[in-house]
């Protein structure tokens, strides 16, 4: 446990589990509005649809497998990054139990990398989105995520610099700074360039957006919880051993 | 320092940066690749992970 390799393997394992849970949620829940959106797309005249036809290269079944597999692979990758960030952090909730640290970091990254972009640039199902603007939209989306992660990092840095303040005062100052940072991001980034097509039912759109947000929540919160469960006991044990040796 | 307990902070070996880079590249390939790095081969990758990309909130066409 006391090696980086041990932490990394736990991170990858936790990410794989969280990714599988998220992928299965996607298969059962997110697929419903995706199917409805694809039906809208197929109902359009062929000339107008633009872009390329979904499901021509792969059947729907294969793409559904790809949806689960994609979530698992992304889970493994972010699990490795998550473990490295926690192992390397000297400021992040120092002195708190590893489980608390892990769940809190998972929640913070969910806020920055999933909830914030979902508020500013809500996820869209198939049949929404112009091929010509996809690069611009991708840039805005990644920019919001990067800015959100800067707010998370900045908040932990600020908290570590304000240790002379009383706990509640420090928490309030850090929370206000984080809220101000998020407000600046939401105001500074331009609106999404693509209008929602008139033939897309708003129920399908919102069902998809909520389901997609649910999947990312399972991915990030699941990663925080599972990684915390995997690391907490062994960190406590090695801490107890170190204290016994010191005594 | 309120408590010396519960340290997860560890020395990070240099190869960890390679792992982090690999993880970022994998995430990019699954979620973002639109042909910048792989050209035409990206299309099959993109199509295979299409549902996953949409479901995870990534901008798509």
């Amino acid at each position: 446990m006391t090696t980086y390799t041990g932490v990394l393997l736990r991170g990858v394992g936790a990410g794989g589990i969280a990714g599988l849970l998220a992928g299965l949620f996607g298969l059962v829940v997110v697929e419903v509005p995706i199917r409805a959106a694809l039906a809208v797309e197929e109902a359009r005249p062929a000339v107008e649809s633009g872009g390329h036809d979904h499901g021509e290269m792969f059947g729907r079944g294969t793409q559904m497998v790809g949806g689960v597999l994609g979530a698992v692979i992304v889970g493994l990758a972010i699990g490795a990054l998550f473990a490295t960030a926690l192992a390397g952090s000297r400021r992040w909730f120092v002195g708190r139990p590893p489980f608390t640290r892990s769940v809190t970091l998972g929640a913070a990254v969910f806020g920055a990398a999933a909830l914030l972009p979902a508020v500013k640039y809500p996820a869209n199902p198939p049949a929404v989105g112009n091929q010509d603007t996809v690069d611009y939209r991708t840039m805005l989306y990644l920019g919001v995520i990067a800015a959100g992660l800067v707010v998370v990092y900045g908040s932990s840095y600020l908290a570590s610099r304000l240790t002379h303040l009383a706990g509640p005062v420090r928490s309030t100052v850090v929370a206000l700074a984080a809220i101000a940072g998020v407000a600046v991001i939401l105001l500074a980034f331009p609106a999404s360039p693509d209008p929602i097509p008139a033939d897309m039912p708003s129920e399908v759109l919102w069902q998809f957006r909520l389901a997609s947000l649910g999947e990312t929540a399972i991915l990030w919160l699941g990663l925080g919880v599972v990684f915390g469960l995997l690391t907490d006991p062994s960190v406590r044990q090695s801490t107890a051993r170190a204290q016994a040796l010191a005594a | 320092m309120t408590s010396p307990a519960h340290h997860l902070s560890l020395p990070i070996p240099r190869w960890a940066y390679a792992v982090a880079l690999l993880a970022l590249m994998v995430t990019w390939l699954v979620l973002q690749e639109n042909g910048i790095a792989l050209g035409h081969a990206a299309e099959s990758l993109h199509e295979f992970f299409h549902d996953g990309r949409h479901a995870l909130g990534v901008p798509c066409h």
Side-chain angles (χ1 to χ4, degrees):
Chain A
M1 179 58 223
T2 43
T3 63
Y4 167 71
T5 313
V7 176
L8 177 67
L9 290 176
R10 283 171 168 84
V12 172
I17 293 169
L20 183 62
L21 292 174
L24 292 177
F25 178 85
L27 191 62
V28 176
V29 179
V30 191
E31 279 297 331
V32 178
I34 285 184
R35 263 196 299 273
L38 288 173
V40 172
E41 195 173 46
E42 268 157 35
R44 288 178 188 167
V47 194
E48 187 224 339
S49 74
H52 55 254
D53 286 326
H54 304 292
E56 211 173 54
M57 191 177 288
F58 294 109
R60 288 298 305 139
T62 312
Q63 286 188 314
M64 282 159 72
V65 172
V68 179
L69 201 61
V72 172
I73 295 173
V74 170
L76 294 171
I78 62 172
L81 294 169
F82 189 84
T84 305
L86 262 187
S89 68
R90 300 262 183 289
R91 283 195 277 267
W92 185 261
F93 281 14
V94 177
R96 299 290 182 87
F99 185 76
T100 311
R101 286 173 45 130
S102 181
V103 173
T104 315
L105 184 61
V109 180
F110 166 69
L115 187 58
L116 179 62
V119 169
K120 185 68 194 181
Y121 303 114
N124 283 322
V128 178
N130 184 347
Q131 176 76 45
D132 300 332
T133 60
V134 70
D135 287 343
Y136 178 55
R137 284 182 286 127
T138 299
M139 204 183 68
L140 294 178
Y141 167 81
L142 292 178
V144 162
I145 291 178
L149 291 175
V150 167
V151 169
V152 171
Y153 184 82
S155 303
S156 75
Y157 180 76
L158 185 64
S160 75
R161 297 304 299 269
L162 298 178
T163 43
H164 56 281
L165 297 178
V169 180
R170 184 164 63 124
S171 302
T172 309
V173 171
V174 172
L176 287 176
I179 290 167
V182 169
V184 168
I185 291 171
L186 290 177
L187 291 172
F189 274 83
S192 181
D194 283 14
I196 303 298
D199 60 355
M200 174 58 64
S202 56
E203 307 92 72
V204 173
L205 192 65
W206 276 102
Q207 196 188 356
F208 173 81
R209 286 175 172 176
L210 285 177
S212 158
L213 190 62
E215 179 167 338
T216 54
I218 291 172
L219 184 65
W220 283 108
L221 300 178
L223 175 59
V225 169
V226 178
F227 184 76
L229 289 175
L230 288 179
T231 50
D232 198 88
S234 49
V235 172
R236 282 173 192 271
Q237 270 169 21
S238 56
T239 306
R241 222 176 298 130
Q243 282 170 342
L245 279 175
Chain B
M1 187 66 85
T2 48
S3 155
H6 311 312
H7 272 295
L8 191 57
S9 299
L10 294 166
I12 303 289
R14 225 173 253 173
W15 57 265
Y17 293 101
V19 173
L21 196 65
L22 180 72
L24 283 174
M25 270 172 54
V26 167
T27 311
W28 173 271
L29 285 178
V30 174
L31 294 182
Q32 299 294 346
E33 176 59 23
N34 285 320
I36 293 174
L38 294 181
H40 191 67
E43 207 177 318
S44 42
L45 200 67
H46 179 131
E47 282 298 310
F48 181 64
F49 291 123
H50 195 262
D51 285 29
R53 295 167 63 124
H54 271 290
L56 291 169
V58 177
C60 216
H61 45 80

